[in-house]
Amino acid sequence: MASEGYANPAALVTTEWVAQHLNDPKVRLIEVDVDTTAYDQGHIPGAVGVNWSTQLTDQVQRDIPKKEAWERLMSQCGVTPDTKIVFYGDNNNWFAAYAYWVAKMYGHEDVVLMNGGRKKWELEGRPMTTERPTIQPTQYKAKDLDPKYRAYMRDVMPFVGAPPGKALVDVRSPAEYNGEIIAPPGLPETAQRCGHIPGAVNIPWGMAVNEDGTFKSPEELRQLYASKGITPDKEVVAYCRIGERSSHTWFVLKELLGYPNVRNYDGSWTEWGSVIGAPIENPAASKA
């Protein structure tokens, strides 16, 4: 069903597996894209589209959806506690990984990513449709939020300078990490200051995937992170700008490599780079 050798191979399904289960009533495909117009332009038959900016974030305060909102969303998607949720999307599953992370914190047992996301499905010439499926709503009940996979700013402060036993992974682009730009071009969520958290190492999220969007082999991934000191014996926190790219790296470290203690700091740079007095390293400014 997925590549061998990963710590939790059940966290992934292949495009082939999805193609064979398009009409399986126990499976719900949910597409979550960075480009929120992509779903209407074409999606896997039977897939439900979820808008990350309106449905995967609280609309009043900066936070993930509250339990009631998550239950409402899953009910609209026709999900039951026994449903196998398959998340996939564009940008090699950026926001699909974020949705996976939220689902895990709300206790959904059977949730997976489609390895390769939209990109691999399209590369293989598999069927796409613009028809929205007819969904029978459910009365989904989530478990209480378990924040063990989440880091708040107060949790990250002891990681500044990367003391022994702790590691920070900044998964943004080198230009963001080095303080040359504050956000990727065209993305509106920004911070007040550029740079990175002192002690963080820069391993851009995209280094974990192949050209077709699939995840690299366990050996390649282990080497990638270990070479920068991100090893399973440490407490690890991953961050990016708003938490979606870092949830992708969280997925790699936790599910594919089996790191026992890894959290996603979803406040990420938009929070850290805006807080008065938060320690920042900015290589670009120091060169100026």
Side-chain angles (χ1 to χ4, degrees), residues 13 20-21 36 52 81 109 131 143 173 211 256 270 284:
V13 292
Q20 292 169 358
H21 289 80
T36 54
W52 70 267
E109 296 291 335
E131 281 186 42
K143 295 177 182 174
S173 67
E211 187 58 38
L256 303 188
T270 48

Side-chain angles (χ1 to χ4, degrees), residues 154-226:
R154 61 180 177 269
D155 303 318
V156 181
M157 278 295 182
F159 284 71
V160 170
K166 298 185 188 301
L168 281 169
V169 190
D170 185 320
V171 316
R172 297 174 300 160
S173 67
E176 290 170 272
Y177 175 83
N178 290 325
E180 297 159 34
I181 60 173
I182 207 160
L187 295 179
E189 304 89 359
T190 62
Q192 294 295 308
R193 294 291 183 270
C194 297
H196 62 262
I197 302 174
V201 297
N202 186 211
I203 309 176
W205 71 276
M207 296 179 75
V209 294
N210 297 306
E211 187 58 38
D212 66 354
T214 57
F215 291 103
K216 289 182 177 176
S217 70
E219 296 74 25
E220 289 173 301
L221 293 173
R222 268 191 290 272
Q223 171 62 27
L224 171 64
Y225 293 99

